[in-house]
Amino acid sequence: MLRFARIQPEDHSEWFREILRLRYKVYCLERGFEKVSDHPDGLESDVYDNRSIHFAAFYESGTEVVGTVRLIKNSSLGFPVEKHFGLDLDPMVGCRDQVCEISRLSVSRKYRSDFNIVKGLFESVALESRRLGVTHWCAAMAQGLPRLLSKQNIHLKKIGPEIEFHGPRAPYFGRIDDVASRHNAYALYRGDQQTGKVASSL
């Protein structure tokens, strides 16, 4: 059975290292989005990690992190989608603290056929967004990811052209009430459904 947990570096340093190790495998070795030479320790990380909420998926029968995603919170750094695409999200939302960027979605290659991993990660993201009072999501997505999310009934709106940024990527944005209303995560976000299996404690 899958389990999902909220992981913070200061609380679960070893689990956080496993998250970074999975990101390295996916983003550096498999996809080539990040340079291997920039991460000689085999852990993919950046300046936004300390300003993010991290989630891990794993099977209760094992200790391997099989999926991860993070929510980047508003900070003095701004959001990556603004920095890399020359955008300003201020006109799109009343309060920047109500925006989080979904980032570093990664699933282990050998478990990618299990769509419950992505589903559960987004349920965790939705619950955390509700806790934080977040109303909007943004993301920078490579080709193929918007289609994957569409299959999960999450439809972020493209708000700019693709650029070459570790492969072709485009910026996406949306109000949670609009982009995820048909996903099970939305019921969690609205508080209409409760579960003990999402973003639990280790």
Side-chain angles (χ1 to χ4, degrees):
M1 182 179 292
L2 278 167
R3 183 179 175 190
F4 301 88
R6 184 182 189 271
I7 305 292
Q8 290 307 101
E10 63 273 18
D11 298 326
H12 305 287
S13 59
E14 289 304 312
W15 281 105
F16 184 62
R17 285 178 64 85
E18 291 303 311
I19 284 175
L20 300 185
R21 189 169 287 115
L22 174 60
R23 280 169 37 179
Y24 176 81
K25 290 178 182 177
V26 174
Y27 277 77
C28 299
L29 299 182
E30 296 176 13
R31 304 297 192 189
F33 292 154
E34 303 290 334
K35 294 180 181 179
V36 170
S37 59
D38 288 342
H39 307 281
D41 56 358
L43 306 174
E44 193 281 313
S45 63
D46 65 19
V47 296
Y48 294 98
D49 280 327
N50 289 330
R51 294 164 173 82
S52 301
I53 307 293
H54 303 266
F55 302 94
F58 52 96
Y59 291 98
E60 290 188 343
S61 58
T63 58
E64 179 186 3
V65 173
V66 300
T68 186
V69 71
R70 70 181 180 183
L71 267 180
I72 302 175
K73 297 185 293 182
N74 181 41
S75 74
S76 59
L77 291 178
F79 294 105
V81 75
E82 292 180 301
K83 175 182 177 182
H84 298 301
F85 294 90
L87 297 174
D88 180 5
L89 298 182
D90 286 347
M92 303 181 194
V93 64
C95 174
R96 291 181 66 86
D97 287 338
Q98 293 178 322
V99 182
C100 274
E101 182 164 340
I102 299 171
S103 172
R104 291 302 194 267
L105 175 64
S106 308
V107 177
S108 175
R109 175 184 285 173
K110 62 182 176 181
Y111 296 109
R112 279 180 200 152
S113 61
D114 188 347
F115 294 106
N116 287 318
I117 295 174
V118 173
K119 177 176 178 287
L121 287 171
F122 268 87
E123 289 174 355
S124 298
V125 163
L127 276 177
E128 187 66 22
S129 296
R130 179 175 175 232
R131 188 185 74 83
L132 294 173
V134 168
T135 58
H136 292 72
W137 289 331
C138 61
M141 294 195 282
Q143 293 176 341
L145 185 53
R147 290 193 297 273
L148 173 63
L149 295 185
S150 291
K151 292 179 181 179
Q152 295 280 332
N153 285 320
I154 295 173
H155 305 278
L156 288 166
K157 181 180 179 181
K158 188 175 180 181
I159 58 171
E162 285 185 344
I163 65 169
E164 181 61 31
F165 175 61
H166 302 309
R169 297 190 184 194
Y172 289 78
F173 184 81
R175 190 168 68 106
I176 299 173
D177 281 345
D178 298 330
V179 304
S181 60
R182 295 177 59 196
H183 192 279
N184 184 57
Y186 186 71
L188 298 171
Y189 173 75
R190 298 296 297 176
D192 300 330
Q193 178 177 329
Q194 300 296 326
T195 176
K197 289 297 183 180
V198 177
S200 61
S201 300
L202 290 173

